[in-house]
Amino acid sequence: MIEVENVHKSFGALEVLKGVTVTVEKGEVLSVIGGSGSGKSTLLTCINGLETIQKGRILVDGTEVHAKTTDLNKLRRHLGIVFQQFNAFPHLTVMENVTLAPRKVLGMGKTEARDIAVQQLENVGLGDKLDVYPGRLSGGQQQRMAIARALAMSPDYMLLDEVTSALDPQLVGEVLDTLKMLADKGMTMIVVTHEMKFARQVSDRVAYFHKGILAEIGPPEQIFDAPQNAETKTFLSSVG
Amino acid sequence: MFDYTFQWRQALRYVPDLMDGALVTLQIAVLSMLIGGAIGIVLAVGRTAQSPWARWPATAWVELARNTPALFQIYMAHFGLGSFGIYISPYAALLGGIAFNNAGYLAETFRGALRAIPETQTRAARSLGMPPIQAFRLIVVPQMFRIAFLPTTNQMVWAILMTSLGVTVGLSTDLTGVTQDINARTFRTFELFALAAVFYYVIAKVVMLGARLLAWRLFRY
Ligand SMILES: Nc1ncnc2c1ncn2[C@@H]1O[C@H](COP(=O)(O)OP(=O)(O)OP(=O)(O)O)[C@@H](O)[C@H]1O
Ligand SMILES: [Mg+2]
């Protein structure tokens, strides 16, 4: 369970999260939608402790992320994250990208790490690209590799930040299919997305962010068909 | 017009001596690169440090090394320190001077390479649970290495050529020193220095070729 309690986050004078509270249950898929700059990415990087917070707290399975005593490196093993920009390690092959953390962080043996990597890469349709360098992959393939890389750590949660927004339209589908497959398997996910159709299909709940505030949260039918909040209505009509 | 007769055969007799000199030259160049490279890393990190006590000396070193003649740097190590009664042998002065110069140039090379690696690479590595040092070692350093490789190779060639400045502080065992010594005895100036030039050229080319082969082996991406 991920519990975000009254979180405030500022970059200098700019307050980006203004008291956000939300809980994500095990097995749940929460989609986060909202305008550019509303703080969606920041929320994800606060959850995995890449960013500090000024007020409130975030608990992951009861562990307070920003407590001084928390071992963030350990906590992050449970939190897979995939970013908007492709973050393939260019100097490593696809296989090495995926096996690196299991081997160096979890101390897994070579063969075991390889087996897991092959399985994850086959799941995302990259079984034939094991020894290729990321520079040779399309954006969609790189993004699927990043998903496999996160999954190879066997995380309990996946945080996905607009993983399709830097992709050419024809490559979006393949990545969304990968995410749907994950949702079907019961992975707990927070998915920041601009793909409304996708959000409607896979989410248990959808959260609408507006200027650092969680303006509305509810099941997809509510958010998309009968939004309560005026801002949500405006946003949804603007994205069509 | 000319009444200089070439006597290549006489000069060629000294090839074994030049070979010995070339080895000393190569030794000084390699050592100066190792020392300069190690200091260069420290300077590169120092220049990006928060504390002015780290930043200021590092910046001063880099500025001096890059904007004053290499000859002065070597001279200072030998005669400059000599004025204070500190004796540095010609070999050590040359090595020290070139290492000083290398450190300055390599620091900038490394700093540039470090800046060229996007911050997102480190964030991705940290997100996978890697501690900072591990992320730096496994993700940043290998990518830096590739970016810095060619400029570092160029510096190596430059270091080889700089060793010829050793004669100015009285070094007589490196390639130029040996050549100058034989020249003083035989006066076959043109032949000897032409021959030595061929040596420098070949060494430089071999270093470049070796580096290119190594790069091709190492950097498959
Ligand atoms: N490291 C940072 N330093 C300073 N400001 C930042 C930093 N990261 C984000 N911001 C600012 O915080 C605000 C929220 O950014 P964030 O990336 O969380 O928005 P977002 O909802 O993900 O937007 P988008 O849909 O465009 O990705 C923006 O105004 C952004 O400029
Ligand atoms: Mg964002």
Side-chain angles (χ1 to χ4, degrees):
Chain A
M1 187 164 68
I2 296 177
E3 296 158 278
V4 177
E5 295 174 4
N6 189 31
V7 165
H8 290 255
K9 163 74 188 172
S10 306
F11 290 109
L14 177 72
E15 191 168 33
V16 176
L17 298 178
K18 302 168 183 165
V20 173
T21 301
V22 62
T23 300
V24 181
E25 299 287 344
K26 202 94 223 230
E28 188 182 11
V29 176
L30 174 72
S31 287
V32 178
I33 60 173
S36 185
S38 59
K40 306 179 300 293
S41 299
T42 306
L43 177 70
L44 296 192
T45 47
C46 285
I47 291 175
N48 89 342
L50 277 178
E51 297 290 355
T52 56
I53 60 176
Q54 274 72 47
K55 225 177 114 186
R57 58 177 197 164
I58 299 174
L59 302 174
V60 174
D61 290 332
T63 305
E64 190 176 341
V65 177
H66 297 91
K68 281 211 171 63
T69 49
T70 299
D71 182 347
L72 275 178
N73 299 321
K74 233 180 201 142
L75 183 76
R76 287 185 184 133
R77 298 176 192 175
H78 304 286
L79 292 164
I81 187 164
V82 181
F83 300 94
Q84 182 171 348
Q85 323 87 322
F86 316 140
N87 277 309
F89 303 133
H91 62 298
L92 302 176
T93 63
V94 167
M95 176 59 103
E96 289 163 344
N97 259 274
V98 179
T99 53
L100 186 71
R103 296 197 57 203
K104 302 291 180 177
V105 175
L106 302 179
M108 210 179 266
K110 200 172 181 171
T111 21
E112 192 188 350
R114 242 193 114 80
D115 289 347
I116 290 175
V118 169
Q119 191 198 330
Q120 293 299 351
L121 285 164
E122 273 171 359
N123 276 343
V124 299
L126 291 176
D128 57 339
K129 302 283 183 199
L130 302 181
D131 297 314
V132 171
Y133 284 96
R136 296 278 172 81
L137 298 180
S138 73
Q141 290 170 330
Q142 289 198 38
Q143 216 43 323
R144 284 184 279 143
M145 186 203 78
I147 295 170
R149 187 171 73 185
L151 289 173
M153 296 293 283
S154 320
D156 299 317
Y157 304 92
M158 285 289 280
L159 313 176
L160 300 136
D161 189 4
E162 294 188 40
V163 294
T164 60
S165 64
L167 296 177
D168 293 336
Q170 72 270 21
L171 300 176
V172 168
E174 62 188 52
V175 176
L176 291 185
D177 287 343
T178 304
L179 298 189
K180 272 181 206 149
M181 183 184 73
L182 267 182
D184 289 343
K185 283 185 182 163
M187 174 61 78
T188 313
M189 298 199 278
I190 302 181
V191 187
V192 174
T193 185
H194 283 160
E195 303 286 336
M196 300 304 156
K197 205 172 123 226
F198 168 78
R200 184 193 279 269
Q201 283 173 8
V202 302
S203 317
D204 296 302
R205 283 189 302 160
V206 178
Y208 170 65
F209 259 67
H210 183 69
K211 295 185 175 158
I213 287 169
L214 206 170
E216 186 169 356
I217 183 165
E221 304 77 43
Q222 176 196 325
I223 301 292
F224 292 116
D225 301 332
Q228 312 290 302
N229 186 296
E231 299 290 356
T232 318
K233 279 180 204 158
T234 318
F235 175 74
L236 286 172
S237 59
S238 76
V239 297
Chain B
M1 249 172 80
F2 300 116
D3 56 358
Y4 188 87
T5 35
F6 292 112
Q7 296 193 13
W8 290 103
R9 191 163 315 159
Q10 192 192 345
L12 284 171
R13 275 213 308 267
Y14 295 105
V15 161
D17 297 285
L18 295 183
M19 205 80 105
D20 290 343
L23 279 179
V24 173
T25 283
L26 206 55
Q27 184 188 46
I28 295 174
V30 168
L31 285 176
S32 75
M33 283 299 285
L34 292 176
I35 300 169
I39 298 173
I41 292 171
V42 176
L43 293 180
V45 174
R47 288 202 74 181
T48 53
Q50 296 289 321
S51 155
W53 293 103
R55 224 171 40 230
W56 198 84
T59 305
W61 185 316
V62 171
E63 288 293 317
L64 273 178
R66 287 164 53 96
N67 299 297
T68 61
L71 176 68
F72 289 17
Q73 296 162 17
I74 295 158
Y75 238 65
M76 276 296 183
H78 187 66
F79 298 114
L81 293 178
S83 326
F84 303 113
I86 304 168
Y87 176 75
I88 309 278
S89 75
Y91 183 96
L94 180 65
L95 176 57
I98 299 174
F100 177 84
N101 188 278
N102 286 344
Y105 278 93
L106 292 175
E108 286 299 88
T109 299
F110 297 157
R111 194 164 69 112
L114 189 59
R115 271 212 302 235
I117 317 292
E119 176 62 22
T120 51
Q121 286 282 305
T122 306
R123 281 165 81 86
R126 297 298 312 277
S127 296
L128 289 165
M130 291 186 207
I133 304 266
Q134 197 176 41
F136 186 71
R137 192 166 55 80
L138 295 174
I139 303 303
V140 178
V141 171
Q143 296 185 58
M144 268 179 76
F145 190 62
R146 177 182 173 153
I147 297 170
F149 191 80
L150 202 68
T152 303
T153 310
N154 290 337
Q155 186 65 25
M156 171 68 187
V157 170
W158 184 228
I160 291 166
L161 302 183
M162 274 192 290
T163 57
S164 66
L165 296 171
V167 284
T168 63
V169 290
L171 186 69
S172 58
T173 50
D174 73 308
L175 184 49
T176 301
V178 168
T179 309
Q180 176 61 24
D181 245 26
I182 302 168
N183 179 47
R185 278 182 276 130
T186 62
F187 299 107
R188 302 316 312 165
T189 311
F190 184 88
E191 292 89 331
L192 284 165
F193 278 92
L195 212 55
V198 170
F199 266 80
Y200 278 114
Y201 185 87
V202 170
I203 296 171
K205 280 290 158 185
V206 167
V207 166
M208 279 314 260
L209 196 72
R212 206 156 291 161
L213 279 173
L214 193 63
W216 178 77
R217 270 297 284 132
L218 286 176
F219 311 126
R220 284 300 170 86
Y221 60 99

